[in-house]
Short mmCIF file of all heavy atoms in Angstrom, two decimals:
data_model
loop_
_atom_site.label_atom_id
_atom_site.label_comp_id
_atom_site.label_asym_id
_atom_site.label_seq_id
_atom_site.Cartn_x
_atom_site.Cartn_y
_atom_site.Cartn_z
N ALA A 366 14.28 18.57 -53.55
CA ALA A 366 15.47 19.26 -54.06
C ALA A 366 15.06 20.59 -54.64
O ALA A 366 15.83 21.49 -54.56
CB ALA A 366 16.13 18.38 -55.19
N ASN A 401 6.39 37.19 -72.38
CA ASN A 401 5.86 38.50 -72.18
C ASN A 401 5.51 38.89 -70.72
O ASN A 401 4.62 39.63 -70.45
CB ASN A 401 4.70 38.80 -73.08
CG ASN A 401 5.02 38.66 -74.51
OD1 ASN A 401 6.06 39.22 -74.99
ND2 ASN A 401 4.21 37.98 -75.33
N PHE A 405 11.16 37.17 -65.36
CA PHE A 405 12.50 36.71 -65.79
C PHE A 405 13.41 37.90 -66.08
O PHE A 405 14.54 37.89 -65.58
CB PHE A 405 12.39 35.78 -67.01
CG PHE A 405 13.69 35.33 -67.55
CD1 PHE A 405 14.54 34.49 -66.84
CD2 PHE A 405 14.17 35.80 -68.78
CE1 PHE A 405 15.77 34.12 -67.27
CE2 PHE A 405 15.41 35.46 -69.27
CZ PHE A 405 16.23 34.67 -68.50
N ALA A 410 18.01 41.14 -64.20
CA ALA A 410 18.65 42.48 -64.03
C ALA A 410 18.54 43.01 -62.56
O ALA A 410 19.15 43.98 -62.21
CB ALA A 410 17.94 43.45 -64.95
N ARG A 411 17.83 42.27 -61.71
CA ARG A 411 17.55 42.70 -60.34
C ARG A 411 16.96 44.16 -60.35
O ARG A 411 17.30 44.99 -59.65
CB ARG A 411 18.74 42.65 -59.46
CG ARG A 411 19.31 41.31 -59.24
CD ARG A 411 18.31 40.44 -58.38
NE ARG A 411 18.90 39.21 -57.78
CZ ARG A 411 18.97 38.09 -58.37
NH1 ARG A 411 18.59 37.91 -59.63
NH2 ARG A 411 19.49 37.09 -57.74
N MET A 415 11.24 47.52 -63.35
CA MET A 415 11.04 47.11 -64.71
C MET A 415 9.55 46.96 -65.04
O MET A 415 8.83 46.35 -64.32
CB MET A 415 11.86 45.87 -65.09
CG MET A 415 11.81 45.50 -66.56
SD MET A 415 12.74 44.03 -66.94
CE MET A 415 14.41 44.57 -66.78
N LEU A 417 6.97 45.95 -68.70
CA LEU A 417 6.89 45.56 -70.10
C LEU A 417 5.55 46.04 -70.72
O LEU A 417 4.58 46.23 -70.06
CB LEU A 417 6.93 44.01 -70.22
CG LEU A 417 8.15 43.35 -69.67
CD1 LEU A 417 8.08 41.89 -69.83
CD2 LEU A 417 9.44 43.85 -70.32
N GLU A 438 15.38 37.84 -53.17
CA GLU A 438 16.35 37.16 -52.36
C GLU A 438 15.99 35.75 -51.91
O GLU A 438 16.87 35.00 -51.39
CB GLU A 438 16.57 38.01 -51.02
CG GLU A 438 15.39 38.24 -50.13
CD GLU A 438 14.50 39.43 -50.51
OE1 GLU A 438 14.65 39.97 -51.58
OE2 GLU A 438 13.63 39.86 -49.71
N ALA A 453 1.14 22.90 -74.70
CA ALA A 453 1.38 21.50 -75.00
C ALA A 453 1.50 20.65 -73.71
O ALA A 453 0.94 19.57 -73.70
CB ALA A 453 2.62 21.34 -75.87
N THR A 462 -3.35 11.83 -68.02
CA THR A 462 -3.95 11.62 -66.66
C THR A 462 -5.44 11.86 -66.59
O THR A 462 -6.00 11.60 -65.55
CB THR A 462 -3.17 12.49 -65.68
OG1 THR A 462 -3.59 13.89 -65.94
CG2 THR A 462 -1.71 12.33 -65.69
N SER A 482 15.64 17.60 -65.72
CA SER A 482 16.61 17.32 -66.80
C SER A 482 17.98 17.78 -66.33
O SER A 482 18.96 17.06 -66.52
CB SER A 482 16.17 18.02 -68.10
OG SER A 482 17.14 17.86 -69.11
N THR A 490 20.12 13.44 -57.62
CA THR A 490 18.78 12.83 -57.37
C THR A 490 18.01 13.72 -56.47
O THR A 490 18.54 14.54 -55.77
CB THR A 490 18.95 11.36 -56.84
OG1 THR A 490 19.62 11.50 -55.61
CG2 THR A 490 19.66 10.49 -57.80
N THR A 506 -12.56 26.85 -75.07
CA THR A 506 -12.56 27.66 -76.31
C THR A 506 -11.34 28.42 -76.46
O THR A 506 -11.16 29.35 -77.37
CB THR A 506 -13.81 28.65 -76.26
OG1 THR A 506 -13.71 29.55 -75.12
CG2 THR A 506 -15.11 27.90 -76.28
N ALA A 524 6.66 21.61 -79.64
CA ALA A 524 6.60 21.56 -78.21
C ALA A 524 6.15 20.13 -77.73
O ALA A 524 6.78 19.57 -76.84
CB ALA A 524 5.50 22.56 -77.72
N ARG A 525 5.23 19.60 -78.40
CA ARG A 525 4.84 18.18 -78.03
C ARG A 525 5.95 17.21 -78.20
O ARG A 525 6.16 16.29 -77.42
CB ARG A 525 3.59 17.80 -78.87
CG ARG A 525 3.11 16.35 -78.72
CD ARG A 525 2.57 16.18 -77.31
NE ARG A 525 2.15 14.79 -77.12
CZ ARG A 525 0.90 14.47 -76.89
NH1 ARG A 525 -0.08 15.36 -76.82
NH2 ARG A 525 0.55 13.23 -76.72
N PHE A 531 11.23 14.33 -73.45
CA PHE A 531 11.49 14.32 -72.02
C PHE A 531 10.96 13.10 -71.32
O PHE A 531 11.71 12.48 -70.52
CB PHE A 531 10.90 15.58 -71.31
CG PHE A 531 11.05 15.53 -69.89
CD1 PHE A 531 12.22 15.77 -69.19
CD2 PHE A 531 9.90 15.17 -69.08
CE1 PHE A 531 12.35 15.68 -67.83
CE2 PHE A 531 10.00 15.01 -67.66
CZ PHE A 531 11.24 15.28 -67.07
#
Side-chain angles (χ1 to χ4, degrees):
N401 298 316
F405 175 70
R411 295 294 197 273
M415 185 179 288
L417 300 178
E438 63 273 14
T462 68
S482 179
T490 59
T506 60
R525 177 64 182 243
F531 172 78

